[in-house]
Amino acid sequence: TQLPLNAIQSMELITGAANAEYGDKTSLVVNAVTRSGLGSQPHGSLLAQYGSFGTAGEESTFEIGSAKVGNFLSANMLRSGRFLDTPEFRPYHAAGNDYTLFDRFDYQPGGANAFHLNLFQARNWFQVPDTFDQLWSGQDQRQKVVTLDVAPSFQHTFNSRTLLSLNPYWRQDQVAYYPSSNPLADNPATISQDRRLANWGVRSDVSYVQGRHNLKVGVQLSQTRLRESFGMGIT
């Protein structure tokens, strides 16, 4: 349930030692800027595709805006009869699909203030591929992942050298794993899980530029809440 590629305007990859503002990260940092509809005439795009294993999908975008207000929308979908790699040469019980919806709304009333809102929803659902023996036993295990994300932002430009940024956010990921309706059909075990991960917080910083010197001071507050429930039975 990652951010769709057709919603990204630009990306900055930070490797090695990250800046202090990314001090809570321990590996590669991706600073992505999403696409905006500000200053855009109404236009969009549509890409449709079809391939082997009953694979079909579409990628679409639409953007519209003026100098002060803009909106960008992205909607993608994919379905495949071989959603995951399978343990057998032929795919058995391996169908799946996913979709992503992304919307960015911008409002810039003047040269000093700018507001924007990112909304993101994604879901994938797929069958867990069976071996030949599991197929004959009637095993029907599945998994579903749902992601919701809300991220508003505000920027205020004090002058040509000083910028204030404020970015609250909330994201929730839910993973559900479903056993077969008949637990005895699962081999060698019947398993289930319901996991919910919620992240929310706020980032705020002030950037100041004077000649060859750059100064950034900020604060980040965040909380992560995790709830998990598992079930297992040896068959």
Side-chain angles (χ1 to χ4, degrees):
T1 57
Q2 67 179 13
L3 192 69
L5 295 179
N6 58 359
I8 297 177
Q9 178 67 37
S10 63
M11 294 175 59
E12 176 191 11
L13 305 182
I14 304 174
T15 60
N19 297 334
E21 60 183 308
Y22 306 111
D24 60 331
K25 307 301 181 184
T26 59
S27 58
L28 174 71
V29 176
V30 179
N31 188 7
V33 178
T34 54
R35 294 174 61 178
S36 171
L38 278 174
S40 298
Q41 296 294 325
H43 72 279
S45 65
L46 174 64
L47 170 65
Q49 56 185 338
Y50 184 83
S52 56
F53 302 106
T55 302
E58 64 82 23
E59 299 177 4
S60 60
T61 64
F62 179 76
E63 56 187 276
I64 184 174
S66 63
K68 293 186 176 182
V69 180
N71 194 82
F72 171 82
L73 175 66
S74 166
N76 303 323
M77 183 275 294
L78 176 69
R79 187 271 176 195
S80 176
R82 187 170 182 165
F83 197 79
L84 299 179
D85 286 337
T86 60
E88 305 287 353
F89 182 75
R90 292 184 58 188
Y92 296 113
H93 193 263
N97 60 72
D98 69 53
Y99 74 82
T100 60
L101 292 173
F102 174 83
D103 186 83
R104 170 170 170 169
F105 174 78
D106 290 90
Y107 176 56
Q108 192 168 319
N113 298 308
F115 304 86
H116 83 253
L117 174 65
N118 283 349
L119 300 174
F120 175 59
Q121 181 186 18
R123 191 216 67 173
N124 65 51
W125 171 96
F126 55 86
Q127 299 171 326
V128 178
D130 289 343
T131 64
F132 190 72
D133 292 339
Q134 291 169 335
L135 176 70
W136 280 102
S137 70
Q139 179 167 300
D140 182 22
Q141 296 183 357
R142 309 176 182 216
Q143 180 170 302
K144 180 176 69 173
V145 182
V146 178
T147 296
L148 299 172
D149 184 273
V150 179
S153 176
F154 169 72
Q155 289 184 330
H156 176 72
T157 303
F158 293 95
N159 50 53
S160 60
R161 298 187 300 272
T162 309
L163 174 68
L164 168 67
S165 298
L166 180 64
N167 302 277
Y169 63 90
W170 175 84
R171 173 176 173 133
Q172 177 178 272
D173 297 277
Q174 183 177 8
V175 180
Y177 192 99
Y178 303 100
S180 302
S181 56
N182 177 13
L184 296 181
D186 290 338
N187 179 33
T190 181
I191 57 177
S192 65
Q193 61 174 290
D194 185 3
R195 303 161 58 194
R196 190 185 302 266
L197 177 69
N199 296 279
W200 64 80
V202 61
R203 289 173 56 100
S204 180
D205 59 68
V206 176
S207 302
Y208 179 78
V209 178
Q210 179 64 49
R212 67 179 68 181
H213 303 291
N214 296 332
L215 175 66
K216 178 179 283 190
V217 178
V219 61
Q220 175 175 323
L221 302 174
S222 62
Q223 186 179 49
T224 299
R225 299 186 66 87
L226 176 65
R227 189 184 71 184
E228 297 181 315
S229 175
F230 300 92
M232 186 184 74
I234 303 298
T235 57

